[in-house]
Amino acid sequence: MANANRDYYEVLGVTRDASAEEIQRAYRNLARRWHPDLSKDPAAEERFKEVNEAYEALSDPDGRARYDRFGPAWRQAREEPTGGAGSPFGPGGGRRVYVNTGGGTGFGGAPFGDFEGFGGAGGGGFEDFLGGLFGGGAAGRGGFGPVPGADRQAEITLGVEDAYVGGRRRITLDTSAGPRSLEVTIPPGVTDGQCIRLAGQGGTGSGGGPSGDLYLIVRLAPHPRYRVDGRDITVDLPVAPWEAALGASVPVDTPGGTARVDLPPGSSSGRKLRLRGRGMPDRRGQPGDLYAEVKIVVPAEPTPTERDLFQRLAKESGFDPRHRSGRG
């Protein structure tokens, strides 16, 4: 038997005021983690027994009440409600609750001894619960029954354009058994950090249990033009000095194709023009926006005519970009 003196709430990782649902959820997670058919840890079977003992005590209201009152001696506690008028078991006498004092909770021995009333009157007992948890009938003495495979996680890296349009993609994952190739449907507009669930592509179940699921975590690769923030996309909008000064209708690249934006006169570098709904699509809601950020670009090697025009402008203009008012 596992260490009976260890606090059962600590074993399950819950607080002493945890609800029945919290206790059951903690048990399910730990049972899968330490199930001897799944874990390679040498201490897995002992930990599994310890988790089962804790759940046996805390899942049943009567057992939990006795454990809270008597601690490690809860197994020796016996309650025989009389069933009087004020009895919670109703008139005529209530059921007698016995706790296991002999066989222990170990697998391979008497499974839970003569423990009665687990899960309430008419309940199938602890073994029936295990059967439901692990996807099949109750385990026999010395066995563990069908166990579902563990869920797995992996990361996939997508370009912004691929994430924008989605579609079928073949990916290769590195696994402990070697490379694994899968066909994956990428939802249009998938964002960085989003999970794609592939049912039944996780760990293989044992004893006839179903396979787990595979969760692909999307990572967007850095892009030379697009900067993605959630569903919003920002792209640089190169413009000529005269376009920025006079205004123009200029083309802008987006992951969904080329669009046009009206550049207002007097636009300086850093100004952002919003294209509503041209960001990452969303099948269930509002698509993101695209922001075209103005970037004034001058010729690296101006022609003689261009140089002459710039020199004339410099002589004629009183504009000073370093002065607060813009005029010297």
Side-chain angles (χ1 to χ4, degrees):
M1 181 183 296
N3 183 4
N5 290 322
R6 187 175 175 191
D7 185 270
Y8 285 157
Y9 291 98
E10 179 184 340
V11 170
L12 295 181
V14 298
T15 61
R16 301 191 74 84
D17 60 353
S19 66
E21 290 76 14
E22 290 172 324
I23 289 174
Q24 185 179 91
R25 185 164 54 248
Y27 170 74
R28 287 178 180 270
N29 292 334
L30 292 171
R32 287 191 176 96
R33 176 182 177 185
W34 294 112
H35 196 286
D37 286 352
L38 296 177
S39 176
K40 297 181 180 179
D41 193 309
E45 185 168 353
E46 189 65 24
R47 293 296 300 274
F48 189 60
K49 292 177 182 178
E50 186 176 52
V51 167
N52 282 318
E53 286 189 12
Y55 186 74
E56 179 188 349
L58 301 184
S59 62
D60 176 67
D62 294 332
R64 183 175 181 179
R66 289 196 304 278
Y67 179 75
D68 289 343
R69 182 177 179 185
F70 300 106
W74 75 278
R75 290 180 177 278
Q76 287 71 43
R78 299 172 65 89
E79 298 182 6
E80 300 184 21
T82 61
S87 169
F89 298 100
R95 64 183 177 90
R96 179 172 295 177
V97 179
Y98 296 93
V99 293
N100 178 18
T101 59
T105 59
F107 287 81
F112 304 104
D114 56 357
F115 183 76
E116 297 180 1
F118 185 85
F126 193 67
E127 289 191 25
D128 284 347
F129 175 80
L130 282 181
L133 173 62
F134 292 118
R141 295 174 184 264
F144 297 103
V147 181
D151 292 340
R152 304 296 188 196
Q153 286 188 354
E155 289 191 353
I156 58 170
T157 301
L158 299 175
V160 174
E161 292 93 338
D162 288 337
Y164 184 94
V165 299
R168 295 288 290 178
R169 297 287 185 276
R170 177 167 289 276
I171 64 170
T172 300
L173 302 176
D174 292 327
T175 70
S176 57
R180 181 184 179 191
S181 183
L182 292 171
E183 284 282 345
V184 181
T185 299
I186 307 297
V190 67
T191 57
D192 190 82
Q194 186 171 337
C195 285
I196 300 174
R197 175 176 173 263
L198 302 181
Q201 296 295 328
T204 303
S206 62
S211 296
D213 298 333
L214 175 62
Y215 291 88
L216 299 178
I217 302 175
V218 174
R219 297 301 178 200
L220 295 185
H223 196 280
R225 294 192 306 276
Y226 304 125
R227 301 184 294 278
V228 182
D229 181 12
R231 296 196 176 277
D232 293 338
I233 302 174
T234 300
V235 59
D236 287 339
L237 180 64
V239 299
W242 49 91
E243 291 176 323
L246 304 176
S249 175
V250 295
V252 55
D253 289 332
T254 80
T258 302
R260 297 197 71 85
V261 61
D262 290 329
L263 180 68
S267 293
S268 298
S269 290
R271 182 171 187 170
K272 290 185 178 181
L273 308 176
R274 180 183 182 186
L275 283 76
R276 190 182 300 273
R278 297 301 295 262
M280 283 290 188
D282 186 354
R283 295 182 301 169
R284 298 185 179 89
Q286 185 71 23
D289 298 328
L290 186 136
Y291 294 89
E293 184 171 348
V294 175
K295 184 177 182 180
I296 299 174
V297 182
V298 300
E301 296 181 3
T303 65
T305 299
E306 289 172 333
R307 181 180 295 275
D308 180 63
L309 290 172
F310 278 123
Q311 288 174 342
R312 289 170 55 188
L313 178 62
K315 291 179 180 178
E316 294 292 335
S317 176
F319 176 68
D320 184 355
R322 291 163 294 280
H323 195 275
R324 181 174 299 178
S325 65
R327 298 291 174 180

